[in-house]
Amino acid sequence: VRCSRPVCPKGQRAIRREGAARVWAFGCNATQSQSVLHKCCLEKEICMRTCGMEWAKCSEIFGKCAVKTCGEDDSCLDAAETADRLISGGDSHMTVCKAFRDTQHELCTCLPFKEAKEGASVRLASFYAAFKPDRLDENGDVKGAEEVWKKWHGREPELFFELTRKYSIDALDLRIRPDEELARLQAEEEAVRRQAEEEEMAIRREEEERLQRRQAEEMAIRR
């Protein structure tokens, strides 16, 4: 799915709305097959709910994490596709992209570039005040702010994504899916597991029957 429509009008950028809720995430540890990808899911959800982050970047983050986690394990990569659909809200372009924009509009507001840039230091100080107060000096300003913005110049969304990920214990609202949804996900996983076992057994039976026919043919030739 590609969500190319901008969240904000041309000439504006999304910044965190004052009083907005903490970034939240569910992750994907509801089922055994997806639990290994829980970190990847959390990272994408943090990205999806960080003001100004683009959908393509969030998908890239998840993809790299999944490949690093799964390697060449096909079953793990299949689970990653399922997990991605779960945290994205499906695989329909309209549904997924609308949900992404709606969440951005819920947590963020759009400001002209100049105004958004001028308030960046205040937003950074607010983040540290809430989740890492020892990064502030006695005046409430961010220690080493010049070095921070030198490194992250023009990349405020990426900075807040990294900060939320780094301080996720406090900055992230980790939510639990409803019992009904957990039961459904687990039942679906069990159905997939049983189907895979049945398919594997069918393949083994076919191979055994083929071997038996070959042995019978060889015995017939010897006679």
Side-chain angles (χ1 to χ4, degrees), residues 93-173:
H93 179 276
M94 181 177 295
T95 302
V96 170
C97 295
K98 182 179 184 303
F100 171 65
R101 285 194 295 271
D102 286 349
T103 301
Q104 286 274 314
H105 288 149
E106 177 184 348
L107 298 175
C108 320
T109 187
C110 295
L111 291 179
F113 287 142
K114 185 175 185 296
E115 187 176 347
K117 182 179 179 181
E118 290 172 349
S121 293
V122 174
R123 289 189 292 277
L124 182 60
S126 296
F127 179 94
Y128 281 133
F131 308 118
K132 194 66 174 175
D134 60 359
R135 285 300 311 274
L136 302 178
D137 61 22
E138 57 187 16
N139 297 317
D141 297 324
V142 177
K143 297 175 183 177
E146 291 185 5
E147 290 300 317
V148 172
W149 292 119
K150 182 178 180 180
K151 177 180 179 180
W152 295 97
H153 176 70
R155 297 191 297 142
E156 182 183 342
E158 288 87 345
L159 169 60
F160 280 100
F161 164 74
E162 293 294 346
L163 287 175
T164 305
R165 182 170 65 169
K166 181 176 181 179
Y167 302 113
S168 59
I169 292 177
D170 297 314
L172 181 65
D173 178 10

Side-chain angles (χ1 to χ4, degrees), residues 185-195:
L185 293 171
Q186 290 164 0
E188 290 175 354
E189 181 182 53
E190 179 63 16
V192 170
R193 185 188 64 79
R194 289 181 178 178
Q195 182 180 356

Side-chain angles (χ1 to χ4, degrees), residues 38-62:
H38 185 55
K39 174 178 175 289
C40 303
C41 293
L42 290 178
E43 288 183 353
K44 182 168 184 178
E45 289 186 271
I46 291 171
C47 179
M48 290 163 54
R49 297 178 182 114
T50 299
C51 298
M53 290 296 282
E54 296 182 358
W55 177 263
K57 183 65 176 178
C58 299
S59 296
E60 178 187 342
I61 289 170
F62 180 83

